[in-house]
Amino acid sequence: MTVMSSIDQRVSLAVSTVIFALRPHPDSGLMTLWLPLVRRIREPYEGQWALPGGPLEAHEDLAASARSTLDRTTGLAPNYLEQLYAFGNVDRSPGDRVVSIVYWALVRQDEVARAVDGENVEWFVADDLPPLAFDHTAIVDYALARLRAKITYTPIAHAFLPPEFTLADLRAVHEAVLRTTLDPANFRRQALATKTLVPTGTCLQGTSHRPPALYRFEAGATSPAPEEQR
Amino acid sequence: MTVMSSIDQRVSLAVSTVIFALRPHPDSGLMTLWLPLVRRIREPYEGQWALPGGPLEAHEDLAASARSTLDRTTGLAPNYLEQLYAFGNVDRSPGDRVVSIVYWALVRQDEVARAVDGENVEWFVADDLPPLAFDHTAIVDYALARLRAKITYTPIAHAFLPPEFTLADLRAVHEAVLRTTLDPANFRRQALATKTLVPTGTCLQGTSHRPPALYRFEAGATSPAPEEQR
DNA sequence: TGACCTTAAAGTCACCCCAACCTTAAGTCA
DNA sequence: TGACTTAAGGTTGGGGTGACTTTAAGGTCA
């Protein structure tokens, strides 16, 4: 989509998405944040890695555009999707001007359709990325900061988890995202204090220790932004 | 600025700004949030009030566009400016599609140039607005929520104040924005704990009581967003 | 079967922050 | 001088948090 300004200069309007998933780190084996990137097949930055996205279609809402990008890239619907920021500085792209409305999404790694992970899509460790095209490195940094800030005060961790999970699972998500260790007892106390966790009444069996209780997230516990709220 | 999509449907890219200032309420006399609106002189919503803004010029950064709107509307530069959200649902505007990147700004009422407050610009009490064009009522509500949330954990109140001020002045800003009364002693303690206040060493004279100390804000205490940070 | 392992779950304690409240300070005004 | 007003600082009790301990409930293996 190309914009004709009053002085006949072109502006493109694109929607890109920072897609996060958790997967073990190849070296340490610790759970780490990963995100998919797309190799550019055109100038500028041909051959470089960039955030998945595309031009805004005239008939599509902004979030819908992010969703379809997500579907093309990972083959699935997001468990969490929120607008990050609109990047539009004049000099952020050589040649025609591009305004990018960037979303960030959380998905479960085990749900990612393997088929799409070929060709020009590849997953990378979020904190150890190659040089990216445009200002995408700064965008990812900003998205990482938002994710790490937001997981501490909103229940978005569930987007990385199956419907039922243990408190250890939940804690592992927090530890992976925040790159720290958390005291199990204190984490439990403050997690249960949020009132967003509902015990299923059942316990996880088959562990070689005391079976942990399973929990479910309270429905409708997330509320990202104005337009997505419906 | 008009966008030509692949199927020849038009999309406009606009930048609007929610501009806040503090001024006494006409009835109660209490300090209240006000914002300027512009009367639409064209369809759609002709005659209705709308947020100030305009099409994005191809040579202008997003924040620069917000700044120039601010200048046209109030005749001054913002003391605080931050991107709020990009609103772009297909149905938010009848006729051609409009994607609006909305900023919010804080200014000092006493700095507003009276000249521009004529014609089609008028200031309204932020919590008691007439019906607005498009989805602008929802946008203002969102901006109000952001302002009220952010003033509680970041030092943006200084944007409403002159360079030197008393703790009572600062508290009055918080009380006006949050529409509450705050305990003076506790407010003092937590304001000073932020380390963003620097005592000037002087006191305000001419009061009919104990003269209050004057403070100044630590330089560079605000950090809104990625692109504005430079 | 029982010692031993692991993690779950609950409890303890000291500390910090905060709301509510009180006391003293330092001016003006009648 | 006394009354009044707000500034500025102090006190106290409660809630939340971090660090830590204790008990519970399984499995594993000699």
Side-chain angles (χ1 to χ4, degrees), chain A residues 88-118:
Chain A
N89 273 359
V90 172
D91 60 3
R92 65 183 288 273
S93 168
D96 284 357
R97 182 172 180 190
V98 180
V99 172
S100 289
I101 298 175
V102 179
Y103 280 74
W104 60 290
L106 306 183
V107 300
R108 283 173 48 199
Q109 183 65 44
D110 56 281
E111 288 179 338
V112 175
R114 278 305 182 188
V116 294
D117 191 330

Side-chain angles (χ1 to χ4, degrees), chain A residues 1-7 9 11 13 56-62 83 85-92 97 99 101 103 135 142 225-228 230, chain B residues 1-7 9 11 13 56-62 83 85-92 97 99 101 103 135 142 225-228 230:
Chain A
M1 170 164 308
T2 308
V3 183
M4 305 295 288
S5 87
S6 44
I7 55 173
Q9 203 171 344
V11 174
L13 185 51
L56 177 67
E57 300 293 332
H59 58 88
E60 249 181 353
D61 288 345
L62 300 177
Q83 189 178 301
Y85 198 80
F87 296 85
N89 273 359
V90 172
D91 60 3
R92 65 183 288 273
R97 182 172 180 190
V99 172
I101 298 175
Y103 280 74
D135 52 358
Y142 189 50
E227 285 200 321
E228 281 103 35
R230 44 172 168 175
Chain B
M1 170 162 310
T2 307
V3 185
M4 305 295 289
S5 88
S6 43
I7 55 172
Q9 201 173 345
V11 174
L13 186 51
L56 177 67
E57 301 292 332
H59 58 90
E60 248 181 355
D61 289 345
L62 299 178
Q83 189 179 303
Y85 197 78
F87 296 85
N89 272 358
V90 172
D91 60 2
R92 64 183 288 272
R97 182 171 181 191
V99 172
I101 297 175
Y103 279 73
D135 52 358
Y142 189 50
E227 286 199 321
E228 280 102 34
R230 42 173 171 173

